[in-house]
Amino acid sequence: MEKVVNCQSCYMPMDTVEKKGTEVNGLHSEDYCVHCYQKGNFTSQQTLEEAVEINIPWWKSEGESDQVARERIMKVFPHLKRWKV
């Protein structure tokens, strides 16, 4: 079984080639998804804080508060390649 790689910007699982972003040369990125990275560039110049807020709806479980989702995201995002300081 092949290991699923997660986007190093938003942590979306990239379990199919269609979910992978593209490099300048057209090859698929091994690090970033199609939503975050196209043609060798990030699709948005957002800050970590903005990325967290944008991703809350996808990280929330039913009945969960934004704050709980935000805290869960902050356990992951700062360790991703794009956001590591």
Side-chain angles (χ1 to χ4, degrees):
M1 178 176 230
E2 194 173 321
K3 181 184 175 196
V4 174
V5 176
N6 295 80
C7 176
Q8 290 296 298
S9 178
C10 73
Y11 209 62
M12 181 181 94
M14 298 187 299
D15 52 359
T16 65
V17 70
E18 293 81 17
K19 292 181 182 178
K20 293 183 177 186
T22 55
E23 301 293 349
V24 174
N25 61 9
L27 294 176
H28 287 100
S29 172
E30 294 303 315
D31 293 323
Y32 302 107
C33 76
V34 67
H35 302 291
C36 294
Y37 198 72
Q38 295 178 11
K39 298 179 183 172
N41 292 299
F42 289 109
T43 58
S44 171
Q45 297 307 311
Q46 63 199 7
T47 64
L48 170 60
E49 293 76 18
E50 290 168 333
V52 168
E53 295 304 312
I54 289 167
N55 279 279
I56 287 174
W58 288 274
W59 282 66
K60 273 176 70 170
S61 297
E62 189 174 330
E64 187 174 69
S65 72
D66 285 2
Q67 185 57 35
V68 170
R70 186 179 293 111
E71 289 169 5
R72 192 167 49 254
I73 293 169
M74 285 305 295
K75 290 179 181 175
V76 175
F77 276 31
H79 303 285
L80 300 176
K81 189 180 282 189
R82 182 174 183 183
W83 309 114
K84 262 187 184 173
V85 179

